[in-house]
Amino acid sequence: MVSILVIYATGEGQTATVAERIGTVFEDRGHDATTIDVDTRPADLERHEYDAVLVGESMNAIFRGGNRLPSGQQRDDSW
């Protein structure tokens, strides 16, 4: 069994739907999958605790060139 983190960012909810489905398929195949929205991830989440990390991002946010962060917040690239 492989432990897999499926972490995603979503703008309109579609990426969340896809990420949840991917996590379910991994679980159905006997893996330990954790699916988390990057905006609500626990502060103590450690990516090195997983065998694999799958990252999903909203294409709408990318193509619109928008910054999904609320005004005044800084992007956390350290994680």
Side-chain angles (χ1 to χ4, degrees):
M1 173 172 60
V2 176
S3 68
I4 303 166
L5 172 61
V6 179
I7 191 161
Y8 64 91
T10 189
E12 298 172 356
Q14 297 304 315
T15 306
T17 301
V18 172
E20 292 291 341
R21 177 67 180 133
I22 290 169
T24 299
V25 169
F26 283 141
E27 289 175 348
D28 290 348
R29 294 182 181 199
H31 301 293
D32 180 21
T34 303
T35 304
I36 298 176
D37 183 335
V38 71
D39 291 335
T40 59
R41 74 180 189 272
D44 61 348
L45 181 67
E46 295 289 338
R47 66 179 179 248
H48 68 273
E49 295 177 357
Y50 297 89
D51 297 315
V53 177
L54 177 68
V55 179
E57 173 61 82
S58 168
M59 295 305 292
N60 287 330
I62 292 171
F63 286 120
R64 290 182 186 155
N67 184 353
R68 295 184 331 99
L69 297 175
S71 179
Q73 274 191 331
Q74 298 294 320
R75 173 177 240 128
D76 178 10
D77 292 326
S78 65
W79 192 82

